[in-house]
Amino acid sequence: MSHKILHSNIIGAGKPLLILHGYFGMNDNWKTLGNQFSEDFQVHLIDQRNHGRSFHADTFNYEVLVEDLYNYIQHYQLNEVYLIGHSMGGKTAMLFAVTYPELVDKLIVVDISPRKYAPHHNAILAGLNSVDFSVDNTRSLVDKKLAELIPELGVRQFLLKNVYWKEKGKLDYRFNLQSLTANNIEVGEALPSFTTYEKETLFLKGEKSDYITEQEIPLIEAHFPNYKISEIKKAGHWAHAENPKQFYKEVCDFLK
């Protein structure tokens, strides 16, 4: 059976460093840091299914995201990779590491923990679904429509990166909104109980984010006994974008 292979940008040479973006994101979100990392590693900036330029599919949950990554690694004949995942990508990375520990040399999880998170993207999904591209046929009109339900400019700018000209005069989203809307409940799923990854694991939490708190530490320790947590200063949930300098240093120190 042939598998669809995830789209990626591969830059640099050396030990493979695979980076997984978050929900509604794409590999482009990591371009700047990816270029920096590529001085020391072969960096794989990956689009997960239903995101960026990767294939669209009705099925969307962490089990299939893990299998997509496994197929990707087999396709490129990689082994003992370094793996970074942010938010949803961090959930994929954690499940991948406990499922295929032999393929992952070190794991870095950005601002997410193994626990279950209640669905909290309802306003974003409602906003995205409220856009009618036959009417909202310029970027500024799309932004204006999104603003009715998504007041935060930063969030809209992040989402607007996914808007592209599908054909002449017709805008569309790169992500598969239909599948992401139908499967939104999956994004908060917990890491299955009694799964562990014994190798070194770094959790990077944003100082201003509440995704990882003291309460999550026993759970992190249960799944990832060889863990360490570092705080990215002056940063929220998008720690890598908000303080890229410290983020880069923390990752390099951990991987060296």
Side-chain angles (χ1 to χ4, degrees):
M1 180 184 164
S2 71
H3 299 286
K4 289 182 177 165
I5 299 301
L6 296 170
H7 173 266
S8 67
N9 290 341
I10 303 172
I11 43 180
K15 186 155 171 137
L17 170 63
L18 280 51
I19 302 182
L20 300 173
H21 60 77
Y23 199 35
F24 304 117
M26 57 172 122
N27 79 49
D28 199 50
N29 304 147
W30 285 84
K31 198 160 72 178
T32 310
L33 271 165
N35 284 330
Q36 283 183 277
F37 289 133
S38 73
E39 289 165 25
D40 298 296
F41 307 102
Q42 181 190 64
V43 178
H44 294 248
L45 300 173
I46 297 172
D47 282 332
Q48 298 185 82
R49 75 162 59 190
N50 292 331
H51 288 77
R53 290 175 170 82
S54 278
F55 59 87
H56 287 188
D58 293 340
T59 313
F60 187 77
N61 57 52
Y62 287 115
E63 286 69 36
V64 296
L65 294 181
V66 162
E67 289 312 299
D68 290 345
L69 185 57
Y70 177 79
N71 295 331
Y72 179 92
I73 285 174
Q74 299 305 88
H75 178 80
Y76 288 104
Q77 300 179 322
L78 308 175
N79 49 34
E80 298 197 323
V81 305
Y82 291 148
L83 186 54
I84 298 181
H86 170 242
S87 201
M88 175 192 94
K91 291 265 194 186
T92 306
M94 286 188 280
L95 185 58
F96 186 85
V98 301
T99 310
Y100 299 108
E102 69 285 356
L103 294 176
V104 183
D105 203 5
K106 286 185 181 181
L107 173 66
I108 299 173
V109 180
V110 186
D111 212 59
I112 199 83
S113 84
R115 76 169 171 89
K116 186 180 174 77
Y117 293 81
H120 54 282
H121 302 97
N122 298 347
I124 288 180
L125 285 164
L128 292 169
N129 280 294
S130 74
V131 172
D132 174 356
F133 286 112
S134 62
V135 179
D136 307 309
N137 56 4
T138 66
R139 284 179 169 280
S140 56
L141 285 170
V142 172
D143 184 45
K144 200 173 146 194
K145 187 68 186 167
L146 290 176
E148 293 171 15
L149 288 158
I150 307 169
E152 310 84 4
L153 177 64
V155 176
R156 292 204 308 278
Q157 286 173 327
F158 168 71
L159 295 168
L160 283 163
K161 283 185 200 283
N162 289 283
V163 174
Y164 77 114
W165 294 102
K166 190 175 182 178
E167 52 199 63
K168 196 168 164 57
K170 176 98 165 80
L171 289 167
D172 204 350
Y173 298 124
R174 287 208 184 275
F175 45 62
N176 180 354
L177 183 58
Q178 206 180 341
S179 181
L180 297 185
T181 303
N183 298 297
N184 179 43
I185 190 90
E186 298 288 346
V187 177
E189 278 306 298
L191 196 60
S193 304
F194 311 113
T195 53
T196 52
Y197 173 75
E198 308 278 346
K199 291 181 231 177
E200 283 182 82
T201 304
L202 173 65
F203 284 81
L204 291 172
K205 74 180 277 326
E207 181 183 24
K208 298 187 284 193
S209 169
D210 57 2
Y211 277 74
I212 298 178
T213 66
E214 293 292 315
Q215 286 170 295
E216 275 79 47
I217 291 175
L219 186 62
I220 286 173
E221 197 168 12
H223 288 285
F224 304 98
N226 198 354
Y227 82 99
K228 144 180 186 207
I229 299 179
S230 290
E231 189 169 79
I232 304 293
K233 302 291 172 209
K234 302 193 187 68
H237 185 54
W238 278 275
H240 53 291
E242 294 169 58
N243 187 345
K245 205 172 160 181
Q246 188 196 341
F247 187 91
Y248 176 74
K249 188 181 179 328
E250 296 281 355
V251 170
C252 288
D253 290 349
F254 176 68
L255 296 180
K256 287 284 150 62

